[in-house]
Amino acid sequence: MGSKSTVFLASVLMVASTSWAGTVLAPLLSIDVHRAWVFSVDFSPDGTLLASGAWDSTVRLWDPASGEQLALLSGHTGWVHDVAFSPDGTLLASGARDRSVRLWDVGGRRQLLVLRGHKARVNSVAFSPDGTLLASGSDDGSIILWDPATGRELSLLPGEAGVLCLAFSPDGKLLAAGGEDNRIRLWDVEQGKLRKTLYGHWGPVRAVAFSPDGRYLGSCALDGTVRVWDVSTGRQLRILAQDHFRVYSLAFSPDGRYIASGRQDWRVKIWEVGSWREVATLEGHRGGVLGIAFSPDGTLLASSSADNTIKLWDLGGLP
């Protein structure tokens, strides 16, 4: 995740709720243990674990069914901006302000490797779909591709601006990178070449995500917009949100039916893919929503916030 951002202060106290089509539901769980801004969340591939990274320099593992903390992983000496599980769920990667990427043994609850190569804070980490590569993006403008089995640096993709977010395409051939310079770059992973640069945002790009079928790329930025792009052509297809509230986080549901974003105004917005209509607003946080993640079965959404909490939402009532 990016740097500390201004939190919008609402004049009206919002009641914790999930709403769509007139239905109001309370969140399933609210976790308040970090006592610091929670920048990132990610579900394990089997959905039995939820990982979080926070301003308190820790990585934590949770039981998403009960909210119980299962592990506290210490080692970073700066804010943990991003966490990501490997596709097989055996590894967890974290990137932090201390310029390091760390790999954790999920089963053993221990640190395996410390990867050093960036010259500034690490904002994003992402595993390739087959788990053979780990990408990290930094304020130093570089993207490093690592071998997660050995921690060896395989290649470096040079950049012109700080890299705030990363996402591999479902086939692993492309790597999308959102920049401090308001641009999105699509890299050919095998050849290490820049394929396309997407222009449209006029604020730093805080999150990018591919749809599960690889057809769309979603992006959000501090310009207050969520945008949808055609991956094959690089053409902008839709602007889903356009207002003065910054947008920090973005994710597609596993079945590709929905795209969700976390916002400065303390809300999560969810749209239906294809029709692009807004179908839900999740309210309950008291700070900007910095990270979101769908559970692997798509029935839950986890959100993390500058209010120091993680919330879990039941999406079973979505149309």
Side-chain angles (χ1 to χ4, degrees):
M1 307 300 294
S3 60
K4 180 177 178 181
S5 304
T6 303
V7 180
F8 174 71
L9 300 178
S11 58
V12 179
L13 180 65
M14 292 184 293
V15 177
S17 64
T18 308
S19 62
W20 53 80
T23 303
V24 178
L25 299 174
L28 289 177
L29 288 171
S30 184
I31 301 170
D32 182 8
V33 174
H34 274 288
R35 303 197 183 283
W37 287 20
V38 188
F39 290 112
S40 178
V41 284
D42 192 33
F43 280 95
S44 61
D46 63 4
T48 61
L49 295 173
L50 181 70
S52 61
W55 193 4
D56 59 8
S57 305
T58 67
V59 175
R60 299 177 192 244
L61 296 177
W62 311 89
D63 178 349
S66 67
E68 177 188 359
Q69 180 177 300
L70 302 176
L72 169 62
L73 306 178
S74 299
H76 282 295
T77 58
W79 308 349
V80 180
H81 290 286
D82 202 13
V83 291
F85 280 99
S86 62
D88 64 4
T90 62
L91 298 176
L92 179 71
S94 56
R97 192 178 182 89
D98 62 10
R99 306 179 184 180
S100 75
V101 175
R102 294 175 191 250
L103 282 169
W104 310 86
D105 174 5
V106 174
R109 310 290 202 260
R110 63 189 180 92
Q111 182 176 285
L112 292 176
L113 295 169
V114 180
L115 313 183
R116 300 192 186 276
H118 289 293
K119 299 176 181 178
R121 71 179 178 189
V122 180
N123 294 312
S124 185
V125 289
F127 282 95
S128 61
D130 63 4
T132 61
L133 294 175
L134 173 66
S136 58
S138 169
D139 270 359
D140 64 14
S142 70
I143 299 168
I144 297 179
L145 297 179
W146 312 85
D147 179 349
T150 65
R152 184 169 64 93
E153 182 178 322
L154 300 176
S155 61
L156 185 146
L157 307 179
E160 300 173 7
V163 178
L164 301 182
C165 51
L166 295 170
F168 279 96
S169 60
D171 62 8
K173 294 181 179 180
L174 295 175
L175 180 65
E180 188 75 39
D181 62 355
N182 314 339
R183 301 174 186 178
I184 301 166
R185 293 171 173 84
L186 296 180
W187 293 89
D188 183 308
V189 174
E190 184 176 357
Q191 297 185 21
K193 294 182 178 179
L194 183 63
R195 288 302 183 193
K196 292 184 180 73
T197 301
L198 310 184
Y199 301 89
H201 283 293
W202 46 269
V205 180
R206 287 292 300 267
V208 288
F210 285 92
S211 60
D213 62 5
R215 180 180 176 185
Y216 302 118
L217 179 74
S219 62
C220 67
L222 300 188
D223 60 9
T225 68
V226 173
R227 298 171 190 251
V228 180
W229 311 80
D230 182 310
V231 173
S232 62
T233 65
R235 184 170 63 92
Q236 181 178 291
L237 300 176
R238 293 274 176 169
I239 300 179
L240 300 182
Q242 191 167 15
D243 54 40
H244 62 280
F245 295 115
R246 295 175 173 184
V247 191
Y248 298 126
S249 49
L250 185 87
F252 278 94
S253 62
D255 61 6
R257 292 183 61 195
Y258 305 106
I259 183 172
S261 69
R263 296 158 48 94
Q264 182 189 13
D265 66 354
W266 311 355
R267 295 176 170 91
V268 176
K269 296 279 189 181
I270 301 177
W271 293 268
E272 183 180 55
V273 173
S275 71
W276 308 114
R277 66 189 179 96
E278 185 180 317
V279 295
T281 299
L282 315 185
E283 298 182 349
H285 281 294
R286 301 295 188 271
V289 181
L290 306 176
I292 58 172
F294 284 91
S295 62
D297 63 4
T299 62
L300 297 175
L301 185 137
S303 56
S304 61
S305 171
D307 66 6
N308 306 346
T309 72
I310 300 166
K311 295 188 186 298
L312 287 158
W313 311 86
D314 181 359
L315 303 181
L318 282 177

